[in-house]
Amino acid sequence: MGLLRRSSALCALALAAALAVPLSLSVPDTAQGAAPDRAATVQGATGLRAADPSVLRVGSTYVAVQSADGGIVVRQASSLDALASAPTRKVWSDTGGLGEVWAPEIVRDGGRYYIYFSAGRSAAHRMYVISSAAPDSGYTAAKKLALPDDKWAIDGTLFTFQGQRWFVWSGWAGDTNVEQNLYIARMTDPTTPTGRRSVISQPREGWERVVGNPYINEAPEAIKDPNGQLHIVYSANGSWSNQYCLADLRLRAGGDPTYVWDWYKSNGCLFGSHRETMMTGWDPTLYVDGPGHHSFVLLDGDINTSPPAGPRFPLMFHAVAKGTPYSWENRQWYSGSFVWWGNTTYKRANVPGAETNTGWSLKFFE
């Protein structure tokens, strides 16, 4: 993310083989041209000082986007190892003076590339989209997404579940920065929301309120488990703190994505650096602090190519190496992996619906 809300805080084996990739990355130059620390030996460190990775695979090519130099740049490489050192191509510049450009997210729909990003200043941050037939050139002018209620919105992304396009994002309920909730809305096409927005998560659990003012649920990423159930994995706690972590929302079988009580939340962080906020049975990180704002590296970025149970599959996330002062400036992209973890019960109380839900969860590895 950028600085506004932060400143306010101050299925088959063939698919498995196709998706599996090496997890050690080369050490690159940054998009801004500053040399990274070549002596870095932290596991999974790319040396790329940046935040909010978004990566997908198209055929044998990996495509990544990031905000840089007042716009958006794209990298392409034949492996995850080579992405960080790949040259950047600027595909969009903020010539219209929209403001701070945060967390671009690249998806592919109908053979076309769409990059969603937040831009604005202060409470004016809204979601925008550009699109192209090619990943690194020819993008359209930015179009503001007409999200329901037109409130502050960041970290949005598109996915298709059971034949319906959905858009999920982090935003405010009103016009003041009290907390960031996760919202979902239907899409009639990749650039047109329809109907109302529905809240699906609020930062109300103790383990996701360790750092606040505001309290944070952000950076949602969709994925589908081996039973076909929808998950939204998101980041909790302030990104300005090493308490930043990943947590999970699991939609109950047959559930309505727009009904908040059909979603079950993990009982703690699933990927974080503090044992006291981890879900029971999940361990904190060994090498990094504050892992968050991840990207599942899926074929075409399509959750319908989500991996089966069994092997580990790649993801990217940002974090800060342990022993390094935690700051936004010290964040860099890391490679890691995840695996489906079965027979996991999420519990809740004093809300509508069943108090427990058992199914697949995820375990993350540096």
Side-chain angles (χ1 to χ4, degrees):
M1 291 335 85
L3 298 179
L4 158 72
R5 62 180 151 101
R6 296 163 178 165
S7 63
S8 73
L10 1 323
C11 0
L13 292 175
L15 175 61
L19 291 175
V21 297
L23 293 174
S24 59
L25 302 188
S26 57
V27 180
D29 292 335
T30 68
Q32 293 77 11
D37 179 8
R38 301 285 173 175
T41 57
V42 175
Q43 181 164 320
T46 68
L48 176 60
R49 288 189 179 273
D52 311 333
S54 175
V55 185
L56 54 76
R57 181 167 70 83
V58 180
S60 60
T61 301
Y62 294 84
V63 184
V65 293
Q66 69 183 95
S67 57
D69 302 323
I72 296 169
V73 300
V74 169
R75 301 168 182 268
Q76 295 189 86
S78 60
S79 69
L80 280 180
D81 292 1
L83 256 183
S85 58
T88 61
R89 291 195 65 178
K90 198 166 193 178
V91 298
W92 181 82
S93 296
D94 185 18
T95 56
L98 292 176
E100 298 158 331
V101 178
W102 296 348
E105 182 83 11
I106 189 166
V107 304
R108 197 163 183 246
D109 186 291
R112 192 169 179 85
Y113 295 87
Y114 296 84
I115 298 177
Y116 301 91
F117 62 96
S118 175
R121 296 180 178 87
S122 190
H125 265 268
R126 298 296 188 272
M127 290 301 308
Y128 294 82
V129 62
I130 57 177
S131 69
S132 176
D136 63 349
S137 63
Y139 278 86
T140 61
K143 174 185 177 180
K144 179 184 172 183
L145 286 183
L147 292 175
D149 300 332
D150 191 26
K151 302 298 183 183
W152 187 92
I154 64 168
D155 293 358
T157 191
L158 179 82
F159 66 93
T160 299
F161 178 65
Q162 295 180 342
Q164 170 66 56
R165 291 186 181 93
W166 298 91
F167 196 76
V168 62
W169 73 98
S170 176
W172 299 351
D175 297 316
T176 56
N177 193 6
V178 177
E179 63 181 9
Q180 289 175 219
N181 305 320
L182 298 184
Y183 293 94
I184 196 168
R186 290 179 173 85
M187 301 284 282
T188 57
D189 59 52
T191 65
T192 309
T194 186
R196 63 186 176 88
R197 67 171 180 165
S198 300
V199 65
I200 60 172
S201 182
Q202 296 172 287
R204 301 294 174 82
E205 301 299 321
W207 53 267
E208 57 185 351
R209 294 173 69 86
V210 177
V211 175
N213 190 27
Y215 297 107
I216 299 294
N217 281 181
E218 65 183 17
E221 291 286 331
I223 194 164
K224 194 165 68 172
D225 73 26
N227 286 344
Q229 287 175 241
L230 179 62
H231 294 245
I232 301 292
V233 177
Y234 67 97
S235 298
N237 289 312
S239 64
W240 55 92
S241 161
N242 63 14
Q243 294 281 353
Y244 206 48
C245 70
L246 295 184
D248 180 39
L249 297 172
R250 180 174 63 217
L251 185 68
R252 71 170 182 84
D256 176 0
T258 68
Y259 181 53
V260 64
W261 303 123
D262 278 352
W263 291 94
Y264 286 78
K265 183 177 290 192
S266 58
N267 298 117
C269 301
L270 301 183
F271 195 36
S273 51
H274 291 264
R275 184 170 296 278
E276 61 271 20
T277 58
M278 300 299 292
M279 182 162 164
T280 300
W282 271 251
D283 293 321
T285 53
L286 297 174
Y287 307 106
V288 300
D289 283 329
H293 204 118
H294 70 299
S295 179
F296 294 116
V297 183
L298 300 178
L299 180 63
D300 291 327
D302 182 2
I303 71 167
N304 296 298
T305 70
S306 295
R312 294 187 187 186
F313 289 86
L315 78 154
M316 299 286 285
F317 59 94
H318 76 228
V320 173
K322 284 187 181 293
T324 302
Y326 197 93
S327 68
W328 296 321
E329 293 76 15
N330 285 335
R331 292 176 301 181
Q332 63 176 288
W333 287 15
Y334 287 82
S335 66
S337 61
F338 71 98
V339 66
W340 290 110
W341 202 257
N343 198 34
T344 302
T345 298
Y346 296 165
K347 301 177 182 179
R348 64 190 190 188
N350 303 316
V351 298
E355 292 188 349
T356 63
N357 181 269
T358 300
W360 292 98
S361 185
L362 308 95
K363 285 206 172 184
F364 297 92
F365 305 89
E366 298 169 271

